Amino acid sequence: MACKSAPRREVSGGDAARGREAIKKYACGACHIIPGVEGAIGKESHPLFGFANRGDIAGVTSNTPENLVKWIRRPTDLAPRTKMPTLGVSEQEAKDIAAYLYTLNGE
């Protein structure tokens, strides 16, 4: 039985181009490999290839735009023991980052 393709995820009010810049600003690439983001070659956490096709976020919650924005802003609210830090990302920046991550469909 073949896997169903992931639904197309849209982040209301998010801008992927601004999200790529916010990813640089918050140095997300220090821990993650993030395609399309210069210098994002971190190996401390999961690479984000194909993020748009994933069913969950860090194994703790469903991969929905609302949950992703929450995760980016305050990851310990969803997973108290996560290594991902709370970086002070604004609501708008989190929407922008989420919009960028949802452009990552391939490898």
Side-chain angles (χ1 to χ4, degrees):
M1 186 163 137
C3 292
K4 291 170 62 175
S5 62
R8 180 164 168 78
R9 295 180 173 107
E10 301 274 336
V11 181
S12 180
D15 179 277
R18 287 192 316 242
R20 181 178 20 245
E21 294 307 310
I23 286 169
K24 292 177 191 175
K25 173 183 173 181
Y26 289 101
C28 303
C31 293
H32 297 280
I33 295 172
I34 308 169
V37 178
E38 185 179 343
I41 56 172
K43 295 189 169 66
E44 293 298 317
S45 193
H46 300 286
L48 300 180
F49 299 104
F51 187 85
N53 301 320
R54 295 183 185 179
D56 63 63
I57 299 165
V60 298
T61 191
S62 300
N63 188 358
T64 66
E66 297 80 16
N67 286 343
L68 183 53
V69 169
K70 288 177 191 175
W71 175 257
I72 292 166
R73 293 197 72 214
R74 299 182 58 108
T76 56
D77 285 357
L78 296 170
R81 298 183 65 172
T82 185
K83 291 180 183 178
M84 183 159 157
T86 297
L87 297 172
V89 178
S90 73
E91 179 85 14
Q92 183 59 59
E93 289 171 316
K95 287 180 179 182
D96 294 340
I97 291 169
Y100 181 78
L101 293 178
Y102 286 142
T103 69
L104 303 178
N105 292 311
E107 294 184 35

